[in-house]
Amino acid sequence: MLIKAVTTRDARFQLEPGAGSDAVHSSPEYSFAVTYLTLDSGLRGTGLVLTMGEGNDLVCSAIEKLGTQLIGSDIEELMSNFGERFRTLADDPHLRWLGPHKGVVHLALASITNACFDLWAKTRGQPLWNLLLSLSPSEVINLLDLSYLEDVLDRQTALELLVEQQPRRESRTGILERGYPGYDTSVGWYHYDDDQVRENVQRSLDQGFGAFKLKVGGSLQRDLQRAHDLRRIAGRAATIMLDANQQWSLPAAVIACKELASMDPYWIEEPTHPDDIFGHQQLAREIDPLSLALGEHVPNRVVFKNYLEAKCVRFLQPDCTRLGGVSEFLTVSLLARKYGVPVVPHVGDMGQIHQHLVLFNHIAMGHPEAFLEHIPHLNGHFVYPAEVSGGRYRTPQEPGSSSELCE
Amino acid sequence: MLIKAVTTRDARFQLEPGAGSDAVHSSPEYSFAVTYLTLDSGLRGTGLVLTMGEGNDLVCSAIEKLGTQLIGSDIEELMSNFGERFRTLADDPHLRWLGPHKGVVHLALASITNACFDLWAKTRGQPLWNLLLSLSPSEVINLLDLSYLEDVLDRQTALELLVEQQPRRESRTGILERGYPGYDTSVGWYHYDDDQVRENVQRSLDQGFGAFKLKVGGSLQRDLQRAHDLRRIAGRAATIMLDANQQWSLPAAVIACKELASMDPYWIEEPTHPDDIFGHQQLAREIDPLSLALGEHVPNRVVFKNYLEAKCVRFLQPDCTRLGGVSEFLTVSLLARKYGVPVVPHVGDMGQIHQHLVLFNHIAMGHPEAFLEHIPHLNGHFVYPAEVSGGRYRTPQEPGSSSELCE
């Protein structure tokens, strides 16, 4: 089962007007820089990372540069010690300069990594969640690169975190039948007008959703009006998240969060620059008990370690299409488990891969029951789109990571 | 004076064996992703950013994507409010996703920005240091994007920092005649053997240098032996810096720094991952009074703000070929001034541009007298290579930023 080819696809999808818009990304064209890994048998693994359109080709070029190093590898052998290979790729002596561990080259590594996991699950004939659950704790740890985490999560600590959860795994498998709640991000894009938001929320409620996200970061007056509108329509019991997508300065964030607290948001997401750890720490103190969430633009485990040490984020939103793929997502999930912070992924993959990962996080790591963002705009482009019914994600059964795109 | 063309050059230079090597970058091929901005008059500005070779083309591609937005701009008009244009480019609604403000797209912005400053200085017929010194405080601030710094460095605070230095500028201009010390990084590359290091140091001493850098991050025994060797040859009075280039884990860094303290290093540079702010904070506490230096892999002003707030770095090493060019370098220099931390740039430009910037930092911002890294390997490729004699940088007199490469 040798990898004989690494190829890419620059897949770009036009969205309906307003869809995907936020205060910072005004006119996204959801795009995937796709890695295809083909075995000598012809079986193919697909890896995804998201971009906003322009520049997707840069990630594809970087995939081609990095990915050739996998040609000739046996997939089982590769995955028996993937963490080591991950580190070698992440620390490529030339390409590392372009990060390190961030930006275009790290997105490329993510796409490659995701293709490795997809291919591996397909060769095993299992959905990714099932493959991950079938591994021993040390096999899981072998998938991870724990370098630069030695002070808080060395191999032994990571192993113990998994081993101590083993007796409780069985009691958690009910989630595989029941599914788990999704939350609907597609109701409240930034450039949707008020009528459209109202219609969307009503439709989403009718479909069974009880949790919604609204984009903010415009004038505070507009933000407040829209947030309270949404609360009125969705009701007191609904879970509503507000997302500023980094639009605010720190002083503006303090003011806006305090005002927006009046509509009882579940969290405020990405209030300001994703690199500003002390800024978030100060903000969290000033707006307590309001909760902050972030992670979609946090590029690697080292920055997540810092956010966790700063104790300012109540919901961690790592994304396996921003971090170095499934591998670093699992590393960050373990880190978060150690710090007792729930993982609620951002879904650059539209939930396709993360629907597998949150099952593993809950059952094998003991994270709280899954709760996952839902963005349906690209459903028609996946061979096996995530099934969300009655507002709940249903467990995928096809082999692989559900990443396959229609041709 | 309209910009009529934005073009790029992927310039790669083979180094002598061992040159440029460190514990992490084993076989660098020093490369510049070059931006050329050409005016309708034919006058051309050159912008540089450094890479290690492979991937340099990705930065060139990103320059082409971003740079086209400058076509048709009048250079004087552009520079009268460059900070705003910088922000627009940095927050391109699609390309921003690939950062934000880091990695390939930010390197591209740096190259473009550096070309703008070079072109501007050429149209004014002045060396860049002189042009910068000729600006009023508010003209300087107009060059900067202070977004996400509002909590510590808003426009008013930045202006005051410059205004309060004005009466003291005259007393500092002696540096323009005297020059200022360089330190020689080229004596102690990681893959140079002991004999070669000894020879290099002796030659460098003979040339008048009194400050040297040694690459560490190998076995602790090797590091200690080489560091003490260097101290013996260079003498007690010499300034010696040790540079681990991110090679150590945090626990390893603590041990190594404590041991290496025995040879009295001036600073320890990049001990561990450049994203690990709390890691550096803990390390700084544990090895006090030993000093840490870092910055060459810190991508933007927001991360620098966090390092300054963490009070763990005694020498800040921003690089205008890693940050968003001259503009963000000046922003970070102002930030550092506010926190009272000296700026000793890393020279991804081989010192060509920074020799201008440290003069401005000293005279106009009141930073301590300049001290600048010297790496001579690419001297032959510059039209006006930095002049370093008797171990001191001499003030460049040609119009522009000294970035022009031989064809």
Side-chain angles (χ1 to χ4, degrees), chain A residues 151-182:
Chain A
D151 49 321
V152 298
L153 191 76
D154 61 11
R155 187 182 167 89
Q156 190 54 34
T157 311
L159 255 178
E160 283 164 14
L161 278 172
L162 290 178
V163 169
E164 73 186 19
Q165 293 299 322
Q166 285 193 301
R168 272 160 281 181
R169 286 171 62 146
E170 197 54 37
S171 69
R172 296 174 186 141
T173 53
I175 194 174
L176 297 168
E177 299 299 320
R178 274 193 315 276
Y180 51 86

mmCIF file of all heavy atoms in Angstrom, chain A residues 151-182:
data_model
loop_
_atom_site.group_PDB
_atom_site.id
_atom_site.type_symbol
_atom_site.label_atom_id
_atom_site.label_comp_id
_atom_site.label_asym_id
_atom_site.label_seq_id
_atom_site.Cartn_x
_atom_site.Cartn_y
_atom_site.Cartn_z
ATOM 1 N N ASP A 151 6.774 21.179 28.401
ATOM 2 C CA ASP A 151 6.568 21.728 29.744
ATOM 3 C C ASP A 151 5.196 21.408 30.310
ATOM 4 O O ASP A 151 4.999 21.440 31.520
ATOM 5 C CB ASP A 151 6.809 23.251 29.745
ATOM 6 C CG ASP A 151 6.057 23.970 28.623
ATOM 7 O OD1 ASP A 151 5.980 23.416 27.502
ATOM 8 O OD2 ASP A 151 5.549 25.073 28.858
ATOM 9 N N VAL A 152 4.227 21.128 29.432
ATOM 10 C CA VAL A 152 2.879 20.862 29.959
ATOM 11 C C VAL A 152 2.284 19.537 29.481
ATOM 12 O O VAL A 152 1.380 18.992 30.126
ATOM 13 C CB VAL A 152 1.882 22.002 29.598
ATOM 14 C CG1 VAL A 152 2.327 23.318 30.215
ATOM 15 C CG2 VAL A 152 1.718 22.141 28.094
ATOM 16 N N LEU A 153 2.741 19.004 28.363
ATOM 17 C CA LEU A 153 2.132 17.778 27.822
ATOM 18 C C LEU A 153 3.211 16.923 27.165
ATOM 19 O O LEU A 153 3.306 16.874 25.932
ATOM 20 C CB LEU A 153 1.034 18.137 26.809
ATOM 21 C CG LEU A 153 0.138 16.976 26.358
ATOM 22 C CD1 LEU A 153 -0.868 16.605 27.436
ATOM 23 C CD2 LEU A 153 -0.605 17.318 25.054
ATOM 24 N N ASP A 154 4.005 16.260 27.984
ATOM 25 C CA ASP A 154 4.983 15.342 27.394
ATOM 26 C C ASP A 154 4.274 14.030 27.044
ATOM 27 O O ASP A 154 3.080 13.865 27.325
ATOM 28 C CB ASP A 154 6.175 15.129 28.331
ATOM 29 C CG ASP A 154 5.773 14.527 29.666
ATOM 30 O OD1 ASP A 154 4.601 14.080 29.812
ATOM 31 O OD2 ASP A 154 6.613 14.499 30.576
ATOM 32 N N ARG A 155 4.994 13.128 26.446
ATOM 33 C CA ARG A 155 4.379 11.887 25.978
ATOM 34 C C ARG A 155 3.678 11.134 27.115
ATOM 35 O O ARG A 155 2.567 10.633 26.954
ATOM 36 C CB ARG A 155 5.459 11.008 25.330
ATOM 37 C CG ARG A 155 4.888 9.782 24.668
ATOM 38 C CD ARG A 155 5.932 8.863 24.054
ATOM 39 N NE ARG A 155 5.279 7.595 23.735
ATOM 40 C CZ ARG A 155 4.682 7.350 22.581
ATOM 41 N NH1 ARG A 155 4.703 8.255 21.622
ATOM 42 N NH2 ARG A 155 4.072 6.197 22.375
ATOM 43 N N GLN A 156 4.323 11.084 28.257
ATOM 44 C CA GLN A 156 3.772 10.330 29.384
ATOM 45 C C GLN A 156 2.448 10.941 29.856
ATOM 46 O O GLN A 156 1.460 10.234 30.065
ATOM 47 C CB GLN A 156 4.812 10.309 30.521
ATOM 48 C CG GLN A 156 4.468 9.365 31.654
ATOM 49 C CD GLN A 156 4.188 7.937 31.168
ATOM 50 O OE1 GLN A 156 4.789 7.462 30.208
ATOM 51 N NE2 GLN A 156 3.211 7.269 31.793
ATOM 52 N N THR A 157 2.430 12.248 29.991
ATOM 53 C CA THR A 157 1.203 12.938 30.424
ATOM 54 C C THR A 157 0.080 12.716 29.415
ATOM 55 O O THR A 157 -1.082 12.473 29.791
ATOM 56 C CB THR A 157 1.471 14.455 30.562
ATOM 57 O OG1 THR A 157 2.658 14.641 31.326
ATOM 58 C CG2 THR A 157 0.315 15.172 31.218
ATOM 59 N N ALA A 158 0.428 12.807 28.142
ATOM 60 C CA ALA A 158 -0.578 12.616 27.093
ATOM 61 C C ALA A 158 -1.141 11.197 27.147
ATOM 62 O O ALA A 158 -2.367 10.993 27.060
ATOM 63 C CB ALA A 158 0.045 12.900 25.731
ATOM 64 N N LEU A 159 -0.250 10.238 27.306
ATOM 65 C CA LEU A 159 -0.685 8.837 27.400
ATOM 66 C C LEU A 159 -1.629 8.646 28.587
ATOM 67 O O LEU A 159 -2.691 8.020 28.453
ATOM 68 C CB LEU A 159 0.541 7.950 27.612
ATOM 69 C CG LEU A 159 1.013 7.139 26.418
ATOM 70 C CD1 LEU A 159 2.256 6.351 26.790
ATOM 71 C CD2 LEU A 159 -0.080 6.216 25.908
ATOM 72 N N GLU A 160 -1.254 9.188 29.724
ATOM 73 C CA GLU A 160 -2.074 9.019 30.930
ATOM 74 C C GLU A 160 -3.465 9.613 30.743
ATOM 75 O O GLU A 160 -4.455 9.040 31.217
ATOM 76 C CB GLU A 160 -1.384 9.667 32.137
ATOM 77 C CG GLU A 160 -0.245 8.814 32.682
ATOM 78 C CD GLU A 160 0.695 9.597 33.600
ATOM 79 O OE1 GLU A 160 0.307 10.723 34.018
ATOM 80 O OE2 GLU A 160 1.805 9.104 33.881
ATOM 81 N N LEU A 161 -3.518 10.761 30.047
ATOM 82 C CA LEU A 161 -4.831 11.376 29.799
ATOM 83 C C LEU A 161 -5.748 10.404 29.060
ATOM 84 O O LEU A 161 -6.945 10.332 29.351
ATOM 85 C CB LEU A 161 -4.669 12.656 28.972
ATOM 86 C CG LEU A 161 -4.292 13.927 29.719
ATOM 87 C CD1 LEU A 161 -3.977 15.051 28.739
ATOM 88 C CD2 LEU A 161 -5.427 14.358 30.657
ATOM 89 N N LEU A 162 -5.202 9.674 28.102
ATOM 90 C CA LEU A 162 -6.024 8.723 27.344
ATOM 91 C C LEU A 162 -6.300 7.461 28.148
ATOM 92 O O LEU A 162 -7.432 6.953 28.146
ATOM 93 C CB LEU A 162 -5.325 8.356 26.027
ATOM 94 C CG LEU A 162 -5.259 9.464 24.983
ATOM 95 C CD1 LEU A 162 -4.492 8.983 23.750
ATOM 96 C CD2 LEU A 162 -6.665 9.922 24.576
ATOM 97 N N VAL A 163 -5.280 6.958 28.829
ATOM 98 C CA VAL A 163 -5.435 5.696 29.562
ATOM 99 C C VAL A 163 -6.491 5.840 30.662
ATOM 100 O O VAL A 163 -7.342 4.955 30.835
ATOM 101 C CB VAL A 163 -4.075 5.250 30.150
ATOM 102 C CG1 VAL A 163 -4.258 4.095 31.138
ATOM 103 C CG2 VAL A 163 -3.131 4.849 29.019
ATOM 104 N N GLU A 164 -6.466 6.964 31.338
ATOM 105 C CA GLU A 164 -7.412 7.100 32.456
ATOM 106 C C GLU A 164 -8.861 7.222 31.987
ATOM 107 O O GLU A 164 -9.786 7.048 32.766
ATOM 108 C CB GLU A 164 -7.022 8.274 33.377
ATOM 109 C CG GLU A 164 -7.298 9.634 32.777
ATOM 110 C CD GLU A 164 -6.772 10.790 33.650
ATOM 111 O OE1 GLU A 164 -5.905 10.546 34.513
ATOM 112 O OE2 GLU A 164 -7.225 11.933 33.409
ATOM 113 N N GLN A 165 -9.051 7.517 30.711
ATOM 114 C CA GLN A 165 -10.421 7.607 30.171
ATOM 115 C C GLN A 165 -10.950 6.256 29.702
ATOM 116 O O GLN A 165 -12.158 6.103 29.469
ATOM 117 C CB GLN A 165 -10.481 8.583 28.994
ATOM 118 C CG GLN A 165 -10.233 10.032 29.367
ATOM 119 C CD GLN A 165 -11.249 10.562 30.352
ATOM 120 O OE1 GLN A 165 -12.430 10.248 30.278
ATOM 121 N NE2 GLN A 165 -10.778 11.353 31.299
ATOM 122 N N GLN A 166 -10.068 5.275 29.547
ATOM 123 C CA GLN A 166 -10.500 4.013 28.936
ATOM 124 C C GLN A 166 -11.683 3.347 29.649
ATOM 125 O O GLN A 166 -12.614 2.897 28.974
ATOM 126 C CB GLN A 166 -9.303 3.071 28.812
ATOM 127 C CG GLN A 166 -8.395 3.515 27.671
ATOM 128 C CD GLN A 166 -7.389 2.455 27.297
ATOM 129 O OE1 GLN A 166 -6.589 2.036 28.123
ATOM 130 N NE2 GLN A 166 -7.447 2.000 26.064
ATOM 131 N N PRO A 167 -11.695 3.296 30.971
ATOM 132 C CA PRO A 167 -12.836 2.624 31.621
ATOM 133 C C PRO A 167 -14.172 3.307 31.339
ATOM 134 O O PRO A 167 -15.218 2.666 31.428
ATOM 135 C CB PRO A 167 -12.501 2.711 33.113
ATOM 136 C CG PRO A 167 -11.041 3.032 33.186
ATOM 137 C CD PRO A 167 -10.697 3.761 31.942
ATOM 138 N N ARG A 168 -14.138 4.588 31.021
ATOM 139 C CA ARG A 168 -15.393 5.325 30.837
ATOM 140 C C ARG A 168 -15.851 5.400 29.378
ATOM 141 O O ARG A 168 -16.881 5.987 29.070
ATOM 142 C CB ARG A 168 -15.240 6.747 31.399
ATOM 143 C CG ARG A 168 -15.582 6.806 32.889
ATOM 144 C CD ARG A 168 -14.996 8.029 33.539
ATOM 145 N NE ARG A 168 -13.567 7.828 33.818
ATOM 146 C CZ ARG A 168 -12.776 8.716 34.412
ATOM 147 N NH1 ARG A 168 -13.242 9.892 34.755
ATOM 148 N NH2 ARG A 168 -11.504 8.441 34.654
ATOM 149 N N ARG A 169 -15.047 4.882 28.480
ATOM 150 C CA ARG A 169 -15.388 5.002 27.052
ATOM 151 C C ARG A 169 -16.738 4.354 26.736
ATOM 152 O O ARG A 169 -17.556 4.937 26.022
ATOM 153 C CB ARG A 169 -14.283 4.394 26.191
ATOM 154 C CG ARG A 169 -13.055 5.270 26.137
ATOM 155 C CD ARG A 169 -11.881 4.579 25.470
ATOM 156 N NE ARG A 169 -12.172 4.252 24.080
ATOM 157 C CZ ARG A 169 -11.268 4.271 23.109
ATOM 158 N NH1 ARG A 169 -10.010 4.606 23.369
ATOM 159 N NH2 ARG A 169 -11.586 3.949 21.885
ATOM 160 N N GLU A 170 -16.933 3.151 27.246
ATOM 161 C CA GLU A 170 -18.138 2.386 26.915
ATOM 162 C C GLU A 170 -19.402 3.182 27.248
ATOM 163 O O GLU A 170 -20.366 3.190 26.471
ATOM 164 C CB GLU A 170 -18.113 1.061 27.693
ATOM 165 C CG GLU A 170 -19.052 -0.004 27.158
ATOM 166 C CD GLU A 170 -18.859 -0.299 25.669
ATOM 167 O OE1 GLU A 170 -17.689 -0.289 25.201
ATOM 168 O OE2 GLU A 170 -19.884 -0.485 24.970
ATOM 169 N N SER A 171 -19.371 3.866 28.373
ATOM 170 C CA SER A 171 -20.572 4.588 28.824
ATOM 171 C C SER A 171 -20.899 5.790 27.943
ATOM 172 O O SER A 171 -21.952 6.397 28.074
ATOM 173 C CB SER A 171 -20.371 5.059 30.267
ATOM 174 O OG SER A 171 -19.380 6.075 30.294
ATOM 175 N N ARG A 172 -19.975 6.143 27.070
ATOM 176 C CA ARG A 172 -20.197 7.345 26.241
ATOM 177 C C ARG A 172 -20.611 7.033 24.814
ATOM 178 O O ARG A 172 -20.831 7.944 24.014
ATOM 179 C CB ARG A 172 -18.905 8.187 26.199
ATOM 180 C CG ARG A 172 -18.487 8.732 27.547
ATOM 181 C CD ARG A 172 -17.140 9.426 27.453
ATOM 182 N NE ARG A 172 -16.654 9.824 28.756
ATOM 183 C CZ ARG A 172 -15.392 9.756 29.156
ATOM 184 N NH1 ARG A 172 -14.460 9.295 28.331
ATOM 185 N NH2 ARG A 172 -15.038 10.136 30.359
ATOM 186 N N THR A 173 -20.654 5.782 24.469
ATOM 187 C CA THR A 173 -20.864 5.443 23.051
ATOM 188 C C THR A 173 -22.309 5.661 22.597
ATOM 189 O O THR A 173 -22.588 5.589 21.403
ATOM 190 C CB THR A 173 -20.446 3.980 22.759
ATOM 191 O OG1 THR A 173 -21.128 3.134 23.688
ATOM 192 C CG2 THR A 173 -18.949 3.802 22.894
ATOM 193 N N GLY A 174 -23.199 5.937 23.535
ATOM 194 C CA GLY A 174 -24.578 6.238 23.152
ATOM 195 C C GLY A 174 -24.663 7.388 22.159
ATOM 196 O O GLY A 174 -25.589 7.449 21.340
ATOM 197 N N ILE A 175 -23.679 8.268 22.205
ATOM 198 C CA ILE A 175 -23.668 9.417 21.288
ATOM 199 C C ILE A 175 -23.657 8.973 19.825
ATOM 200 O O ILE A 175 -24.151 9.690 18.938
ATOM 201 C CB ILE A 175 -22.464 10.342 21.593
ATOM 202 C CG1 ILE A 175 -22.626 11.704 20.889
ATOM 203 C CG2 ILE A 175 -21.134 9.685 21.187
ATOM 204 C CD1 ILE A 175 -21.556 12.714 21.263
ATOM 205 N N LEU A 176 -23.100 7.776 19.578
ATOM 206 C CA LEU A 176 -23.026 7.283 18.193
ATOM 207 C C LEU A 176 -24.416 7.028 17.630
ATOM 208 O O LEU A 176 -24.636 7.146 16.421
ATOM 209 C CB LEU A 176 -22.183 6.005 18.148
ATOM 210 C CG LEU A 176 -20.720 6.168 18.572
ATOM 211 C CD1 LEU A 176 -20.059 4.805 18.769
ATOM 212 C CD2 LEU A 176 -19.950 6.982 17.531
ATOM 213 N N GLU A 177 -25.354 6.692 18.490
ATOM 214 C CA GLU A 177 -26.745 6.464 18.065
ATOM 215 C C GLU A 177 -27.547 7.751 18.103
ATOM 216 O O GLU A 177 -28.299 8.058 17.181
ATOM 217 C CB GLU A 177 -27.418 5.436 18.999
ATOM 218 C CG GLU A 177 -26.771 4.071 19.025
ATOM 219 C CD GLU A 177 -26.781 3.408 17.656
ATOM 220 O OE1 GLU A 177 -27.797 3.527 16.931
ATOM 221 O OE2 GLU A 177 -25.738 2.800 17.278
ATOM 222 N N ARG A 178 -27.405 8.462 19.178
ATOM 223 C CA ARG A 178 -28.197 9.672 19.428
ATOM 224 C C ARG A 178 -27.831 10.849 18.541
ATOM 225 O O ARG A 178 -28.627 11.729 18.303
ATOM 226 C CB ARG A 178 -27.881 10.189 20.839
ATOM 227 C CG ARG A 178 -28.599 9.675 21.970
ATOM 228 C CD ARG A 178 -28.401 10.504 23.240
ATOM 229 N NE ARG A 178 -27.067 10.941 23.590
ATOM 230 C CZ ARG A 178 -26.166 10.236 24.236
ATOM 231 N NH1 ARG A 178 -26.414 8.969 24.570
ATOM 232 N NH2 ARG A 178 -25.003 10.748 24.556
ATOM 233 N N GLY A 179 -26.561 10.866 18.116
ATOM 234 C CA GLY A 179 -26.045 12.081 17.488
ATOM 235 C C GLY A 179 -25.864 13.171 18.531
ATOM 236 O O GLY A 179 -25.984 12.910 19.742
ATOM 237 N N TYR A 180 -25.613 14.374 18.062
ATOM 238 C CA TYR A 180 -25.340 15.481 18.998
ATOM 239 C C TYR A 180 -25.714 16.782 18.307
ATOM 240 O O TYR A 180 -25.781 16.851 17.074
ATOM 241 C CB TYR A 180 -23.855 15.481 19.410
ATOM 242 C CG TYR A 180 -22.917 15.425 18.223
ATOM 243 C CD1 TYR A 180 -22.527 16.591 17.567
ATOM 244 C CD2 TYR A 180 -22.460 14.205 17.736
ATOM 245 C CE1 TYR A 180 -21.698 16.543 16.462
ATOM 246 C CE2 TYR A 180 -21.626 14.144 16.635
ATOM 247 C CZ TYR A 180 -21.250 15.312 16.008
ATOM 248 O OH TYR A 180 -20.442 15.250 14.903
ATOM 249 N N PRO A 181 -25.986 17.820 19.100
ATOM 250 C CA PRO A 181 -26.515 19.047 18.502
ATOM 251 C C PRO A 181 -25.512 19.777 17.610
ATOM 252 O O PRO A 181 -24.324 19.860 17.924
ATOM 253 C CB PRO A 181 -26.889 19.901 19.717
ATOM 254 C CG PRO A 181 -26.149 19.325 20.866
ATOM 255 C CD PRO A 181 -25.924 17.883 20.570
ATOM 256 N N GLY A 182 -26.017 20.287 16.512
ATOM 257 C CA GLY A 182 -25.255 21.224 15.694
ATOM 258 C C GLY A 182 -25.721 22.636 16.016
ATOM 259 O O GLY A 182 -26.795 22.822 16.595
#
